[in-house]
Amino acid sequence: MNEMTQKSHAHAVVWIDHLVAKVFGIGLTGVSATAVHAHLASEHLHHKANTIGDGRVQADATFLARVSEAVSGCSDLLVIGPGIEKAELTQYLKAERPDLNLHVGPSDHPTDAEIVALGRKRFRLGGER
């Protein structure tokens, strides 16, 4: 998966953590996938002890906006993932896209196929009717 514009689908699933958002557009005719990467100074959330500052790596200020842009063509979205990034994206999308039918669910680190399966189940696409 690389960062690119995804094919437009009405339904999408986003799995997000502090490093990447995996975006899967899901339709009856197939699945499109893309990834939006955060631009951080370090992949680790915390610096080592005895450093100046609060010890946290600065967040990428454009990350949530770029994820929102990646799902701009969808009307139904499932947001899953570990940590607080899922909640931050949900709040951002509620403010920026009030028309979006938003669903949120827990998820640790599923495979891409498991993410797509969760989306198909949530949106009742495929054999899960």
Side-chain angles (χ1 to χ4, degrees), residues 27-87:
L28 293 174
T29 59
V31 175
S32 62
T34 190
V36 179
H37 296 273
H39 302 295
L40 302 176
S42 170
E43 290 188 9
H44 301 285
L45 289 177
H46 299 279
H47 295 287
K48 68 181 197 175
N50 300 321
T51 59
I52 298 173
D54 68 358
R56 290 189 56 82
V57 173
Q58 273 305 96
D60 176 0
T62 66
F63 185 46
L64 297 180
R66 290 184 292 121
V67 174
S68 178
E69 184 178 324
V71 298
S72 63
C74 78
S75 57
D76 290 304
L77 180 66
L78 171 61
V79 179
I80 59 175
I84 63 168
E85 290 80 11
K86 166 180 61 181

Side-chain angles (χ1 to χ4, degrees), residues 4 19 25 47 57 100 114 123-124:
M4 62 183 203
L19 294 175
H47 295 287
V57 173
L100 187 62
E114 290 170 331
F123 303 123
R124 297 181 180 178

Side-chain angles (χ1 to χ4, degrees), residues 59 73 81 118:
L118 285 169

